[in-house]
Amino acid sequence: MTYDVIIVGGGIAGLTASAYLSKAGKKVLLCEKGEKVGGLVSTFNYKGFTLDGGIRAIENSGIVKPMLKDLGIDVPFKRSVVTLGIEDEVIKIEDLSSLEKYQSLLSNKFPNEKDDIKKVVDMMKQLMKYMDILYGIENPLFLDIKRDKAYFQKEILPWMFKFMFTVGKIKKYQTPVETYLANLTKNESLNNVIAQHFFKQTPTFFALSYFSLYLDYNYPLEGTGMLIDKINQFILDHGVEILLDTTIESIDLKTKTIKDQNNETYTYDQLLWAADTNKLYQIANLESIPNKKLRQKALAFKDGIKNLRGGDSIQTTYMLVDLDPSYFENICTAHFFYTPKKTGDGKIKETLPLVLKSKDQKVLFDWINDYLDNTTFEISMPALRNRALAPEGQTGLIVSTLMEFDLVKHISDLGLYDQYKSFIEQKMVDILDASIFKGFKSKVFDTFGSSPLTILNRTGNKDGAITGWAFTNKNIPAVTSFLGVTKAVKTYIPDVVQAGQWSYSPAGLPVSIMTGKIASDYILKKTK
């Protein structure tokens, strides 16, 4: 029950750290509160359909594939081409020239705003150039400089100068995208249609350069969970002990022990926390930190984060449809962002604070009805990438949209959760049937879903967050600078480091992998 390293959290950050620590010969215990590892990256089988339970595709970002190559793990990927649609018009995002298609799409929907749209697209082009520099090379974190000396000198060193220059350039694009767009165009609907693809108050640089990431979407041939399965097998082969259905309830910093829900105790030399940061500071006995200054900082940090919000959450409806994938291929690709109305959801979201005060089911559900009519959906269809992921002649749809955690929690507290689930699943089907997939409703033979509460229960993430800290917080208690990423893993708690979406913002799968690797390197260097 004594380990060199105990890792809490079996998401992609915890798995990455487990892989590198075990590869280096460390005795590692991985504790995961769920019934399987993977966190927000998972795939499951249901009635012959293979469906993804978390992210719908994987962004390489110069991180994922280099990590797999470094570890000797083979995951067959297929490029996941993205389509964007507004009302009845759909465009395919295949390369940088697709920005012209996007400009044309917006201009067709907002003919009086062509000049403003051009300004927006011109800015997107510039920011995409910056994004390509930041992520357009295999991250040196996963290179063996001795082994790859020629590549390092020829490619990495010149890139590092470009990287430093670019980081300085993007600092002025940290304002929320909604604010930035409002300075470019006064058409609120246009702003909404562009911005509602992203989380509230996403930094402008990240939002308007996102086309670069669309071009970088990849899909493991057997589902996103294939990535997890391969890494999981790697760490098992390297001796990592995994405890599932294990929730850590307390951390004794003096004895360097953790205790789970069954009162079992485990001793660590180093603790790597790859779960919700809030939980770490709640369950650790910070008063026992011997260094006074460090103790005061830890207690102040704990107090400072207690009222901060977790990031946006999502509502997902799974639809099993008795239609061949070719029906959908004639309309879109396997990864489809669709906005049914060009009005956007901005005005509706402004009324949410008032709606949250109501206990009237009609008031609450009418708001949801209007919101869904005007928001943007992310639609994934695994069978369009690999026919083997659905029964012959049928297709599984994964339809998601951003959803307010507070609203779903309020509805649940009123005892209306079951009604909410039924309503929202039917409403999503109705919207797609009346718009882009006309008449497909009669072919839908099963629906089920997950909500922000599902994500909360599954991951333990505060507010059902899928990207760590909310951008709406006045202060984000995590590293937000590219140049400071190596500091993201440090905490104010002795012999405890962190990794994952709560340690760096903006977060995502590549960043979680990167922090997992940085955390493992930090531990290996410290314990050498």
Side-chain angles (χ1 to χ4, degrees), residues 183-201:
N183 291 325
L184 292 182
T185 174
K186 301 305 178 185
N187 189 309
E188 292 187 27
S189 292
L190 173 60
N191 291 348
N192 292 335
V193 167
I194 297 172
Q196 69 192 35
H197 279 251
F198 310 104
F199 305 118
K200 291 189 295 292
Q201 296 187 26

Side-chain angles (χ1 to χ4, degrees), residues 504-522:
Y504 183 91
S505 182
L509 181 135
V511 165
S512 293
I513 288 175
M514 185 164 58
T515 57
K517 176 62 163 63
I518 292 171
S520 64
D521 287 347
Y522 182 85

Side-chain angles (χ1 to χ4, degrees), residues 118-161:
K118 185 179 185 303
K119 288 188 290 185
V120 173
V121 172
D122 285 345
M123 180 52 63
M124 292 175 70
K125 291 177 181 178
Q126 181 60 57
L127 295 180
M128 285 175 67
K129 291 179 181 178
Y130 295 156
M131 177 68 82
D132 289 343
I133 291 172
L134 296 181
Y135 293 111
I137 195 169
E138 291 191 2
N139 194 293
L141 185 66
F142 301 97
L143 290 177
D144 183 329
I145 296 178
K146 293 181 180 179
R147 185 185 64 199
D148 303 303
K149 189 174 181 179
Y151 179 80
F152 185 84
Q153 292 177 339
K154 184 179 179 180
E155 300 290 341
I156 299 299
L157 285 178
W159 169 80
M160 290 176 69
F161 289 105

Side-chain angles (χ1 to χ4, degrees), residues 199-249:
F199 305 118
K200 291 189 295 292
Q201 296 187 26
T202 295
T204 296
F205 166 71
F206 188 72
L208 295 189
S209 66
Y210 209 85
F211 259 71
S212 292
L213 298 182
Y214 288 154
L215 298 174
D216 198 30
Y217 276 11
N218 294 270
Y219 191 79
L221 289 184
E222 297 175 13
T224 57
M226 186 182 190
L227 174 68
I228 299 301
D229 293 341
K230 293 279 190 174
I231 302 175
N232 186 47
Q233 189 58 55
F234 179 93
I235 66 175
L236 289 172
D237 291 343
H238 284 75
V240 175
E241 184 178 343
I242 302 175
L243 294 179
L244 300 175
D245 298 311
T246 301
T247 302
I248 303 307
E249 301 288 357

Side-chain angles (χ1 to χ4, degrees), residues 17-281:
S18 295
Y20 279 98
L21 289 166
S22 61
K23 182 184 177 184
K26 296 296 183 181
K27 183 181 179 183
V28 178
L29 172 67
L30 177 63
C31 301
E32 165 57 40
K33 75 182 293 292
E35 60 183 14
K36 62 180 182 178
V37 296
L40 292 171
V41 187
S42 69
T43 297
F44 63 95
N45 295 308
Y46 178 76
K47 294 186 177 181
F49 291 80
T50 298
L51 302 163
D52 299 309
I55 61 174
R56 315 301 185 227
I58 290 170
E59 303 155 16
N60 176 42
S61 297
I63 292 172
V64 179
K65 291 182 179 179
M67 178 269 291
L68 294 172
K69 179 182 177 182
D70 188 38
L71 293 173
I73 298 174
D74 179 40
V75 178
F77 287 100
K78 181 176 183 179
R79 185 184 170 194
S80 185
V81 178
V82 170
T83 38
L84 300 179
I86 302 173
E87 297 179 332
D88 58 349
E89 191 172 350
V90 178
I91 62 168
K92 186 181 290 188
I93 308 301
E94 297 178 283
D95 51 39
L96 290 177
S97 67
S98 298
L99 270 176
E100 308 303 329
K101 298 179 185 177
Y102 185 58
Q103 182 174 338
S104 178
L105 170 63
L106 292 176
S107 296
N108 290 342
K109 297 303 174 182
F110 302 95
N112 295 327
E113 315 298 337
K114 289 184 178 180
D115 291 341
D116 290 344
I117 291 168
K118 185 179 185 303
K119 288 188 290 185
V120 173
V121 172
D122 285 345
M123 180 52 63
M124 292 175 70
K125 291 177 181 178
Q126 181 60 57
L127 295 180
M128 285 175 67
K129 291 179 181 178
Y130 295 156
M131 177 68 82
D132 289 343
I133 291 172
L134 296 181
Y135 293 111
I137 195 169
E138 291 191 2
N139 194 293
L141 185 66
F142 301 97
L143 290 177
D144 183 329
I145 296 178
K146 293 181 180 179
R147 185 185 64 199
D148 303 303
K149 189 174 181 179
Y151 179 80
F152 185 84
Q153 292 177 339
K154 184 179 179 180
E155 300 290 341
I156 299 299
L157 285 178
W159 169 80
M160 290 176 69
F161 289 105
K162 293 180 182 178
F163 177 85
M164 297 290 289
F165 177 77
T166 302
V167 168
K169 285 283 188 179
I170 67 175
K171 283 183 179 179
K172 61 181 179 180
Y173 299 108
Q174 297 302 310
T175 55
V177 65
E178 300 93 336
T179 303
Y180 190 85
L181 288 173
N183 291 325
L184 292 182
T185 174
K186 301 305 178 185
N187 189 309
E188 292 187 27
S189 292
L190 173 60
N191 291 348
N192 292 335
V193 167
I194 297 172
Q196 69 192 35
H197 279 251
F198 310 104
F199 305 118
K200 291 189 295 292
Q201 296 187 26
T202 295
T204 296
F205 166 71
F206 188 72
L208 295 189
S209 66
Y210 209 85
F211 259 71
S212 292
L213 298 182
Y214 288 154
L215 298 174
D216 198 30
Y217 276 11
N218 294 270
Y219 191 79
L221 289 184
E222 297 175 13
T224 57
M226 186 182 190
L227 174 68
I228 299 301
D229 293 341
K230 293 279 190 174
I231 302 175
N232 186 47
Q233 189 58 55
F234 179 93
I235 66 175
L236 289 172
D237 291 343
H238 284 75
V240 175
E241 184 178 343
I242 302 175
L243 294 179
L244 300 175
D245 298 311
T246 301
T247 302
I248 303 307
E249 301 288 357
S250 66
I251 305 172
D252 191 319
L253 303 178
K254 186 173 290 188
T255 61
K256 297 178 73 169
T257 58
I258 62 172
K259 191 174 290 186
D260 67 17
Q261 79 275 21
N262 298 317
N263 219 31
E264 294 285 351
T265 301
Y266 312 91
T267 303
Y268 64 86
D269 179 54
Q270 298 291 313
L271 179 64
L272 198 166
W273 193 266
D276 188 327
T277 296
N278 302 278
K279 181 73 177 290
L280 168 62
Y281 282 84

